[in-house]
């Protein structure tokens, strides 16, 4: 079955089951279908070539919009209205958007027509005809942080998506229409995709997390009050909840998947104590391979887990995926040695919108197309991959993927010089945070941060700035980032 056939069969089989719980309001599949049908009708008037964006929020219309676009066989492009306009304009320009679905009364974007996604056509038929189209067409394009200053558009096809679904089913997770899935991620972040696509394919309920207040505290509220049974989270949630874990019991949770960041053994042990009936699954993957594509076995205890530097193993490639470890010349390394993880298979993106980036990120090997992740790992004697860090300056802040080079790019432009370094340090609850170091003693930090806010999303903003003059250099004459990290960790 195709993805749309699966979702359509859920609309037919489970009209009265809850599809969503958003801000404590429930929406059945029947109610969702009316909204999807209305948005489909609204869009149906426009020519096939239109490129459609959605101003995504934590509301039913955002979800109905993306389903409606898929039911037209078209591609959706989520836009976070809270991101700086420069970034939004770059996304519009790179993806050729000409229509954006949004709430009425929004900030206008140049060259783009707004359509009101709250429009409802009374008495509209909710019997969907599934259009015939190539399953290799893009279902969505997500933009991730780009080291050259511009966000990178990752194209994910309908085939990639159904492959993720099928591979997840093949992992043997117990999932059916009685499940209640946590959906904690912003819709511009690929973790969200698993958390709504899988429930939509099986008729389960999607419990979203409010962005009003502290997000990770809201995650806990949803887990508890909505009796969530299946949760996909970034490990940072656990760091945030750590001091409360001894008091927490979540008997409804059966599966808790962690993705997006290294998962440490000690905190996993503490979390498992909260789950009398549940397990932990550490899964791994980049946006470019559709949410996650390596998975480790479910565990209910950490006593025999395989780790590297206390980080849980990321497991083995999922169904129809392949992972190899290569050296800097793209040759496979011998078993047991560290190499860069490269991915191939049914979940792999056709590439970025920008062809130039594809030349460096993808290569052919043994007649297969591989993607270079930038992640380092080694494989143990059982073929299990163990995560060992990154080869570049990509970091994760509360699950968000950030290129430190992108922050430096904007800062260099603002200061009109080169003397600036962005670094990741540990903040409260052991959570990653970004700090910047300037070399010029006369740097006006307040003014620079005001300017920076107009260029990058809030989660990329540094929490502190320092002036260190001159910047320390390593033996190659480059800025010594390690030395700076040491200085900052001492000064915290
Ligand atoms: P994103 O594209 O936002 O999903 O980020 C992908 C990156 O997150 C990967 O390249 C890894 O660096 C990191 N990542 C994802 N899952 C894991 C995991 N289970 N353990 C360690 N790092 C992970």
């Amino acid at each position: 079955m195709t993805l749309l056939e699966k979702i359509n069969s859920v609309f037919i089989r489970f009209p009265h089951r809850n599809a969503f719980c958003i801000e404590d309001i429930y929406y059945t599949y029947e109610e969702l279908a009316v909204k999807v049908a209305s948005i489909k009708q609204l869009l149906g008037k426009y020519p096939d070539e239109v490129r459609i964006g959605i101003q995504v929020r934590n509301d039913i219309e955002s979800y109905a919009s993306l389903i409606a676009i898929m039911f037209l066989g078209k591609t959706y492009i989520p836009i976070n209205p809270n991101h700086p306009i420069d970034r939004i304009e770059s996304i519009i320009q790179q993806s050729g958007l000409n229509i954006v679905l949004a709430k009425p009364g929004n900030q206008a974007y140049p060259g783009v027509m707004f359509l009101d996604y709250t429009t409802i056509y009374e008495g509209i038929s909710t019997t969907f005809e599934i259009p015939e189209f190539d399953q290799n067409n893009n279902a969505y394009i997500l933009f991730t942080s780009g080291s050259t200053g511009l966000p990178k558009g990752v194209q994910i096809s309908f085939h990639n998506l159904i492959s993720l679904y099928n591979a997840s089913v093949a992992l043997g997770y117990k999932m059916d229409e009685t499940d209640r899935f946590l959906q904690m991620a912003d819709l511009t972040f690929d973790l969200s995709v698993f958390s709504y696509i899988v429930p939509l394919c099986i008729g389960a309920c999607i419990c979203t997390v409010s962005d009003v207040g502290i997000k990770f505290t809201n995650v806990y509220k949803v887990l508890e009050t909505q009796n969530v049974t299946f949760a996909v989270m970034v490990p940072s949630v656990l760091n945030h909840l750590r001091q409360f874990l001894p008091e927490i019991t979540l008997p409804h949770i059966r599966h808790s998947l962690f993705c997006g960041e290294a998962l440490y053994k000690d905190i996993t042990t503490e979390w498992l104590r909260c789950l009398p009936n549940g397990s932990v699954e550490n899964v791994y993957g980049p946006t470019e391979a559709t949410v996650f594509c390596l998975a480790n076995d479910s565990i209910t205890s950490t006593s025999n887990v395989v780790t590297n530097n206390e980080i849980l193993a990321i497991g083995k490639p999922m169904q129809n995926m392949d992972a190899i470890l290569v050296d800097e010349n793209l040759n496979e390394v011998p078993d047991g040695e560290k190499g860069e993880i490269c991915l191939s298979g049914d979940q792999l993106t056709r590439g970025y919108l920008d062809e130039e980036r594809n030349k460096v990120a993808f290569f052919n090997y043994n007649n297969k197309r591989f993607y270079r992740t930038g992640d380092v790992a080694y494989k143990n004697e059982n073929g299990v991959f163990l995560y060992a860090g990154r080869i570049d300056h990509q970091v994760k802040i509360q699950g968000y993927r950030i290129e430190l080079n992108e922050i430096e790019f904007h800062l260099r432009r603002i200061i009109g010089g080169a003397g600036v370094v962005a670094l990741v340090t540990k903040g409260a609850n052991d959570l990653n945070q970004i700090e910047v170091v300037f070399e010029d003693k006369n740097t006006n930090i307040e003014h620079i941060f005001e300017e920076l806010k107009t260029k990058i999303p809030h989660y990329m903003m540094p929490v502190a700035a320092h002036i260190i003059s001159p910047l320390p250099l390593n033996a190659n004459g480059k800025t010594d980032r390690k030395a700076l990290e040491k200085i900052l960790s001492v000064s915290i």
Side-chain angles (χ1 to χ4, degrees), residues 190-207:
D190 88 324
L191 202 59
S192 68
V193 174
F194 180 91
S195 306
Y196 67 77
I197 276 295
V198 171
L200 286 175
C201 285
I202 61 178
C205 181
I206 301 150
C207 304

Side-chain angles (χ1 to χ4, degrees), residues 209-320:
V209 174
S210 175
D211 358 84
V212 182
I214 302 169
K215 181 100 183 197
F216 290 173
T217 305
N218 295 342
V219 168
Y220 172 65
K221 278 191 206 144
V222 173
L223 290 177
E224 195 187 32
T225 57
Q226 300 304 328
N227 295 339
V228 166
T229 57
F230 199 114
V232 184
M233 291 178 273
V234 291
S236 289
V237 172
L238 297 186
N239 288 69
H240 179 83
L241 296 177
R242 191 159 202 167
Q243 57 178 310
F244 309 107
L245 292 181
E247 319 297 325
I248 292 177
T249 309
L250 295 162
H252 292 93
I253 291 192
R254 274 204 316 277
H255 291 289
S256 61
L257 272 62
F258 289 91
C259 185
E261 296 166 315
L263 180 63
Y264 285 84
K265 181 177 172 180
D266 54 354
I267 204 149
T268 307
T269 310
E270 292 166 41
W271 171 246
L272 275 167
R273 288 196 196 111
C274 309
L275 309 182
N277 307 308
S279 55
V280 162
E281 289 79 13
N282 187 24
V283 296
Y284 159 92
T287 306
E288 289 81 346
T290 321
V291 193
F292 59 84
C293 58
L294 263 79
N296 212 352
D297 294 341
S298 299
I299 52 164
T300 51
S301 145
T302 50
S303 44
N304 294 317
V305 289
V306 182
T307 58
N308 174 45
N309 288 335
E310 295 299 300
I311 297 172
L312 262 61
I314 52 177
K316 295 184 180 180
M318 285 158 52
Q319 174 178 286
N320 298 332

Side-chain angles (χ1 to χ4, degrees), residues 156-450:
I156 296 296
S157 69
F158 286 86
H159 174 70
N160 293 146
L161 263 185
I162 193 69
S163 303
L164 166 71
Y165 171 81
N166 289 333
S168 307
V169 171
L171 287 171
Y173 298 149
K174 195 191 157 319
M175 308 184 281
D176 63 28
E177 70 277 9
T178 60
D179 271 304
R180 303 170 67 80
F181 279 68
L182 174 77
Q183 202 305 79
M184 63 157 284
D186 186 303
L187 285 169
T188 54
F189 176 25
D190 88 324
L191 202 59
S192 68
V193 174
F194 180 91
S195 306
Y196 67 77
I197 276 295
V198 171
L200 286 175
C201 285
I202 61 178
C205 181
I206 301 150
C207 304
T208 72
V209 174
S210 175
D211 358 84
V212 182
I214 302 169
K215 181 100 183 197
F216 290 173
T217 305
N218 295 342
V219 168
Y220 172 65
K221 278 191 206 144
V222 173
L223 290 177
E224 195 187 32
T225 57
Q226 300 304 328
N227 295 339
V228 166
T229 57
F230 199 114
V232 184
M233 291 178 273
V234 291
S236 289
V237 172
L238 297 186
N239 288 69
H240 179 83
L241 296 177
R242 191 159 202 167
Q243 57 178 310
F244 309 107
L245 292 181
E247 319 297 325
I248 292 177
T249 309
L250 295 162
H252 292 93
I253 291 192
R254 274 204 316 277
H255 291 289
S256 61
L257 272 62
F258 289 91
C259 185
E261 296 166 315
L263 180 63
Y264 285 84
K265 181 177 172 180
D266 54 354
I267 204 149
T268 307
T269 310
E270 292 166 41
W271 171 246
L272 275 167
R273 288 196 196 111
C274 309
L275 309 182
N277 307 308
S279 55
V280 162
E281 289 79 13
N282 187 24
V283 296
Y284 159 92
T287 306
E288 289 81 346
T290 321
V291 193
F292 59 84
C293 58
L294 263 79
N296 212 352
D297 294 341
S298 299
I299 52 164
T300 51
S301 145
T302 50
S303 44
N304 294 317
V305 289
V306 182
T307 58
N308 174 45
N309 288 335
E310 295 299 300
I311 297 172
L312 262 61
I314 52 177
K316 295 184 180 180
M318 285 158 52
Q319 174 178 286
N320 298 332
M321 285 301 291
D322 192 8
I324 57 171
L325 297 172
V326 300
D327 61 21
E328 59 281 6
N329 299 318
L330 305 181
N331 294 319
E332 270 189 270
V333 298
D335 275 355
E337 279 186 26
K338 282 186 189 164
E340 180 181 358
I341 307 178
C342 297
L343 301 168
S344 177
D346 284 358
Q347 290 176 228
L348 190 68
T349 172
R350 76 167 55 155
Y352 301 114
L353 287 176
D354 178 350
E355 275 303 325
E356 284 307 303
R357 299 202 205 236
N358 292 333
K359 291 183 191 152
V360 276
F362 297 88
F363 65 99
N364 288 320
Y365 181 77
N366 281 347
N367 295 325
K368 286 185 183 174
R369 192 168 144 271
F370 278 89
Y371 165 66
R372 300 182 65 173
T373 62
D375 291 312
V376 180
Y378 67 91
K379 233 183 334 180
N380 73 9
E381 58 291 357
N382 299 321
V384 170
F385 284 72
L386 285 120
Y387 183 75
R390 298 249 350 139
I391 52 173
D392 55 14
H393 301 311
Q394 182 181 299
V395 299
K396 282 297 182 101
I397 303 291
Q398 310 206 354
Y400 287 106
R401 165 170 158 181
I402 296 170
E403 296 281 354
L404 292 174
N405 295 346
E406 184 176 354
I407 301 173
E408 288 174 3
F409 168 88
H410 289 292
L411 285 170
R412 278 201 300 272
R413 281 209 161 165
I414 297 169
I415 63 175
V420 59
V421 185
L423 298 160
V424 70
T425 60
K426 291 283 177 200
N429 297 325
D430 231 15
L431 286 163
N432 282 349
Q433 58 181 20
I434 293 166
E435 297 190 60
V436 283
V437 179
F438 295 98
E439 189 164 39
D440 183 352
K441 289 188 177 130
N442 299 318
T443 304
N444 181 340
I445 292 168
E446 209 175 307
H447 163 78
I448 292 170
F449 273 24
E450 277 311 307

